[in-house]
Amino acid sequence: MNIVESEARSKQEELRQKDSPYPEKVAPVSCPISELIARRWSSRAFDAARPVEREKVRLLLEAARWAPSSFNEQPWRYLVFDSQDPPARERALACLMDFNAWARQAPVLMLSVTREIFAHNAQPNQHARHDLGMASENLVLEAVNQGLMAHQMAGFDVARARREFGIPPDCTPMAMIAIGYPFRGDPRDLPVALRAMETQPRQRRLLREIAFHGNWNKPYGE
């Protein structure tokens, strides 16, 4: 074991000892990374009885606002649905596919949208979706920082969302985001199907499968 791997395991163990009870699922990293990144995961179990403070929602959006983007275009947009407007929240929930019914327990739902045309020249912005992804990663990491969970979902009716919320034709709805305080009870009290998803181990591809050194067939670090 090299020094980097040793430090990674020590950091991982430190996090697990500090935050081991569910809903914490610290990533089994292979080298030391930011604690926020290691702790971020997409839970499906929320505390439906605990509302999210509007100031915390603002903090999440502020984190998204400061993401980098091509030509500083900032193509991301977010629609927020919460208890301040129950009918709008219900319309947003109605856009979700049935398999995302668990998201009804989240006090806040967002819809991320990206504008696909550059403002400065009206040309297609091929990087808009990439840039929205960076903004949304800022948002979900800030959620961890605020003690919240944020789960992004592709399973929703895009055409219906366009109609329901007046989204312009040059903008594309990309993901619904369920946001709330995590359920902190015994995961054995969750419905069986949800319990299985909540407690399964976290997995990722090996570094050698996603990073290459100078040539596609040469894994980085080997």
Side-chain angles (χ1 to χ4, degrees):
M1 183 188 304
N2 61 36
I3 293 176
V4 171
E5 291 173 336
S6 177
E7 290 178 350
R9 293 192 180 186
S10 296
K11 180 65 173 178
Q12 178 184 344
E13 184 59 29
E14 176 186 335
L15 289 172
R16 290 188 183 280
Q17 289 176 0
K18 182 175 67 174
D19 295 313
S20 56
Y22 177 86
E24 293 289 343
K25 288 176 65 173
V26 180
V29 298
S30 62
C31 55
I33 60 174
S34 162
E35 180 178 343
L36 289 180
I37 298 174
R39 292 178 56 211
R40 186 222 62 79
W41 70 283
S42 299
S43 173
R44 294 175 175 84
F46 294 92
D47 185 346
R50 186 177 179 184
V52 177
E53 302 87 342
R54 297 198 80 186
E55 180 56 32
K56 287 198 173 183
V57 175
R58 288 180 60 89
L59 291 172
L60 269 56
L61 295 169
E62 181 69 6
R65 189 168 77 93
W66 285 100
S69 61
S70 178
F71 286 95
N72 198 26
E73 175 70 19
Q74 304 164 56
W76 47 79
R77 306 289 187 270
Y78 295 91
L79 282 78
V80 181
F81 309 99
D82 57 23
S83 60
Q84 300 293 317
D85 189 345
R89 182 174 180 274
E90 285 302 314
R91 284 158 48 214
L93 289 169
C95 293
L96 294 175
M97 301 302 182
D98 290 343
F99 56 80
N100 282 329
W102 53 265
R104 298 194 66 86
Q105 299 300 310
V108 176
L109 196 66
M110 289 189 190
L111 174 59
S112 66
V113 179
T114 192
R115 186 169 186 268
E116 307 255 16
I117 302 296
F118 278 117
H120 69 276
N121 61 8
Q123 295 300 305
N125 181 358
Q126 296 182 357
H127 308 287
R129 299 185 184 191
H130 171 272
D131 294 347
L132 171 66
M134 290 197 289
S136 291
E137 179 70 355
N138 275 14
L139 188 151
V140 300
L141 289 177
E142 185 59 29
V144 178
N145 191 44
Q146 297 300 326
L148 300 167
M149 283 282 187
H151 187 125
Q152 301 177 76
M153 299 165 281
F156 72 101
D157 189 328
V158 174
R160 182 171 182 174
R162 280 190 181 279
R163 295 193 304 269
E164 290 282 0
F165 308 116
I167 297 171
D170 63 351
C171 294
T172 303
M174 292 302 299
M176 286 285 192
I177 312 173
I179 299 168
Y181 285 96
F183 169 77
R184 292 192 177 276
D186 189 329
R188 291 175 296 183
D189 294 334
L190 295 170
V192 174
L194 191 57
R195 182 194 317 160
M197 291 186 288
E198 288 292 288
T199 57
Q200 66 186 359
R202 299 182 62 186
Q203 297 180 347
R204 290 293 188 276
R205 295 181 185 276
L206 296 174
L207 189 61
R208 69 183 309 276
E209 297 179 80
I210 67 164
F212 310 98
H213 196 183
N215 184 284
W216 192 263
N217 295 317
K218 184 180 179 182
Y220 183 79
E222 295 188 2

